[in-house]
Amino acid sequence: MSLIEMRDVKKRYKNGVTAAQDINLNINKGEFVFIIGSTGCGKSTVIKMMYREEKPTSGTIVVGGLNVGKLRNSKVYKLRRKLGVVFQDYKLLNKATAYENVAFALDVLGLPKSEIHKKVIKALDLVGLKNKAKNYPEQLSGGEQQRIAIARAIVNGPKILICDEPTGNLDPPTSAEIMKVLMEINKMGTTVIMVTHNHDVVKENNKRVILMESGRVLKEYKEGEYA
Amino acid sequence: MKFFRIFSRNIRDAALSVIRNFSLSLASVSSITITLLVVSISLILSYNVDNFATLVERDVTIVAFLETTATREEVIEVENAIKNMDGIDSFVFQSKMAITEEMMESSEVFQNIMKNWSEDENPLQDTFLIKVDNIDEIGFIAARILELEPVDSTKYGEGMIEQLVSLFDVVRKVSVGIVLALIVVTAFLISNTIKIAIFSRKREIEIMRLVGASNINIKVPFIIEGLFLGFIGSIIPVGATIYAYNRIYENFDGQLFSPFIRLVEPFPFLYGVTIILIGLGIIVGMFGSWRAVRKHLKI
Ligand SMILES: Nc1ncnc2c1ncn2[C@@H]1O[C@H](COP(=O)(O)OP(=O)(O)OP(=O)(O)O)[C@@H](O)[C@H]1O
Ligand SMILES: [Mg+2]
């Protein structure tokens, strides 16, 4: 059974824009999937429906055994605990250190301090920023901020990591560093779904690619097919 | 364990938020303080007025004097009319002859003057003594009795007590109105304070949702913040009430104007007032924050 399954999914926003339609997708455990396409084609909309930021207008979405479309607002947290999300703009707390930013994700779930410490150190180590734990976001480069955001997304060991243009604000060498971290996380068993504009990044990493256009899936490339 | 960790986290967040939005918190707290001071005054007045009222109630009697020309039939008419009135506890009739006899027995002087009075010459008046159920109605009932044809005049109670009771009653009614208006203003202010708190922590809330904090967990700190504001706002009213009431009680030696009007003893009365003030502060605080959360934290 696939980890993420979308059946005939359609999303029509309140303003009448149909941002996604006829979406049929199966993503298996351990996969790395790029979602690409021109601006406004519905990439963000598709992944927002996966983590239930948006509800599908019709169709079914099952993520990790949860019927996302039918999930009540008060139960969304159950889905969110199965996945991590990373954005182009990092979304860090500016008044908290790198360590505190990562710890925040566990703190709000009520984990004991000792366990939080262990997990945060491990996550910071994984993204290579153990030595910057005490820095505030403004004392970190863009790439470092994004790595903190990734550490926060994976610190609780989610099955799925969803990234919306994580390298969108970064130069090519820094993007490559981020990709290295994401590949590392994927190797450890986490399913990664990444929306990107960056063709170089997609070409350098021979992974499955979903190409979207005007709200539909135009073409799918299996691992190594996209060039 | 996990529950307590999350709960203590919520309390910490709420306390930090009160401090962070200091000026708005101060406005809310002041508003609660003013409201509760008025509540305290009206509570003290109400309780004391009720207390006077029960004290004087037992002894308040209307005396109705009939015209000297009143006939036996008219006396019976008045008696029936009083029997049929609402709010009357009991009454007795004293005829002018009975009063005359009583007076003649009590002194020789009276006896010498009165012994030759015939029924028609007797200047004394037939009298009804009427006890009412409720002191608040005494004026009203006396007026109705006076309307009866053969009744010449009525007298009742210590006028001052009645006036005091009705004055305090007006004060009580006005203060209930003021309290209600103040509660609305306060709830609005608190709601606004919490709204600002919600907006200033938007990013934090967004991340909490993203990493799987439950909705209750996200909302509770703001409700607790309202509770804190209410509680802090009740500190000054509680302190002022306990201090002032004790001083007044001591100063007046527990009574007002006459030994007849006893003030309610400070304890346990003030314990009750304290609980009401703190409870009301907390409820208004939580209500205000609950409204803000419902309106601005749609998750
Ligand atoms: N909340 C919203 N309400 C209404 N319309 C929206 C909303 N979000 C997106 N849209 C519209 O839906 C369409 C798809 O938007 P979406 O953000 O999914 O595109 P995208 O592929 O992520 O674009 P980009 O590459 O620029 O991020 C666009 O036309 C956009 O204007
Ligand atoms: Mg997008």
Side-chain angles (χ1 to χ4, degrees), chain A residues 60-126:
Chain A
T60 28
I61 305 175
V62 180
V63 176
L66 286 172
N67 189 335
V68 177
K70 292 225 169 76
L71 207 57
R72 296 222 317 264
N73 277 350
S74 59
K75 298 278 181 266
V76 168
Y77 73 94
K78 291 189 171 181
L79 170 70
R80 299 286 169 85
R81 287 180 192 184
K82 291 175 187 283
L83 48 82
V85 192
V86 173
F87 301 91
Q88 183 171 359
D89 60 354
Y90 327 131
K91 295 194 197 293
L92 297 176
L93 300 172
N94 293 323
K95 287 181 184 144
T97 62
Y99 180 94
E100 288 162 351
N101 263 288
V102 180
F104 184 78
L106 301 176
D107 201 19
V108 297
L109 301 183
L111 269 69
K113 282 268 172 298
S114 56
E115 200 180 328
I116 292 178
H117 183 76
K118 249 189 282 167
K119 287 189 170 183
V120 172
I121 294 296
K122 206 176 135 204
L124 285 175
D125 199 25
L126 183 68

Side-chain angles (χ1 to χ4, degrees), chain B residues 5-297:
Chain B
R5 274 194 299 267
I6 291 180
F7 193 65
S8 65
R9 209 196 118 75
N10 287 343
I11 288 179
R12 190 196 67 201
D13 282 358
L16 281 176
S17 189
V18 169
I19 297 165
R20 232 180 276 159
N21 297 312
F22 184 75
S23 54
L24 269 167
S25 299
L26 191 67
S28 298
V29 166
S30 312
S31 182
I32 293 173
T33 298
I34 292 165
T35 307
L36 293 183
L37 282 172
V38 178
V39 169
S40 167
I41 291 167
S42 63
L43 273 180
I44 286 171
L45 282 177
S46 297
Y47 263 79
N48 277 294
V49 168
D50 281 350
N51 194 41
F52 306 157
T54 38
L55 281 177
V56 295
E57 212 151 23
R58 281 174 243 128
D59 281 306
V60 168
T61 304
I62 301 170
V63 186
F65 300 98
L66 304 193
E67 305 277 1
T68 48
T69 56
T71 64
R72 197 155 293 272
E73 289 73 38
E74 283 177 321
V75 171
I76 292 168
E77 225 172 80
V78 172
E79 185 175 341
N80 284 335
I82 293 171
K83 249 185 221 162
N84 288 331
M85 269 182 204
D86 289 330
I88 288 176
D89 178 53
S90 62
F91 68 90
V92 283
F93 173 69
Q94 290 185 307
S95 71
K96 59 185 173 188
M97 291 317 289
I99 298 169
T100 312
E101 264 160 42
E102 212 174 279
M103 288 173 83
M104 288 203 304
E105 263 164 44
S106 68
S107 100
E108 246 173 75
V109 183
F110 284 149
Q111 201 171 15
N112 286 329
I113 301 168
M114 296 172 167
K115 66 183 169 197
N116 294 322
W117 285 357
S118 71
E119 177 104 35
D120 292 336
E121 288 161 350
N122 193 334
L124 295 177
Q125 295 168 291
D126 287 336
T127 309
F128 279 94
L129 300 174
I130 304 136
K131 286 192 176 182
V132 297
D133 288 331
N134 185 349
I135 193 185
D136 295 340
E137 294 175 356
I138 192 164
F140 173 70
I141 289 172
R144 284 193 51 194
I145 290 170
L146 191 57
E147 275 171 20
L148 299 170
E149 198 55 46
V151 175
D152 174 44
S153 62
T154 55
K155 285 211 171 85
Y156 57 89
E158 297 195 12
M160 192 183 67
I161 293 175
E162 206 230 1
Q163 279 172 19
L164 208 59
V165 167
S166 61
L167 171 71
F168 281 5
D169 209 44
V170 170
V171 173
R172 170 165 51 174
K173 277 180 186 142
V174 169
S175 58
V176 166
I178 294 174
V179 165
L180 288 179
L182 282 174
I183 283 178
V184 171
V185 172
T186 306
F188 177 79
L189 264 172
I190 291 172
S191 184
N192 203 45
T193 306
I194 302 299
K195 178 179 116 183
I196 302 292
I198 290 170
F199 284 134
S200 72
R201 292 177 57 199
K202 246 194 151 103
R203 164 72 42 109
E204 221 171 297
I205 293 167
E206 187 187 1
I207 296 165
M208 284 176 86
R209 295 177 59 195
L210 216 49
V211 299
S214 67
N215 287 4
I216 293 174
N217 193 352
I218 295 173
K219 288 173 178 177
V220 160
F222 296 105
I223 305 289
I224 296 177
E225 187 174 344
L227 185 153
F228 277 174
L229 293 174
F231 180 76
I232 295 169
S234 69
I235 292 173
I236 290 176
V238 165
T241 302
I242 290 175
Y243 177 77
Y245 192 74
N246 273 311
R247 289 305 299 273
I248 290 170
Y249 193 82
E250 278 166 26
N251 258 352
F252 288 95
D253 215 10
Q255 64 193 39
L256 223 54
F257 311 123
S258 86
F260 209 20
I261 314 178
R262 306 270 328 153
L263 291 171
V264 180
E265 281 182 29
F267 293 97
F269 172 57
L270 288 178
Y271 291 132
V273 174
T274 301
I275 290 169
I276 290 173
L277 292 182
I278 294 176
L280 192 64
I282 286 176
I283 288 169
V284 173
M286 287 174 75
F287 173 74
S289 52
W290 173 77
R291 274 198 40 145
V293 163
R294 229 178 57 131
K295 208 166 151 203
H296 303 288
L297 204 54

Side-chain angles (χ1 to χ4, degrees), chain A residues 142-159:
Chain A
E144 286 169 337
Q145 288 187 50
Q146 188 60 294
R147 281 191 274 162
I148 295 300
I150 293 169
R152 180 179 65 195
I154 53 118
V155 69
N156 204 19
K159 288 184 189 157

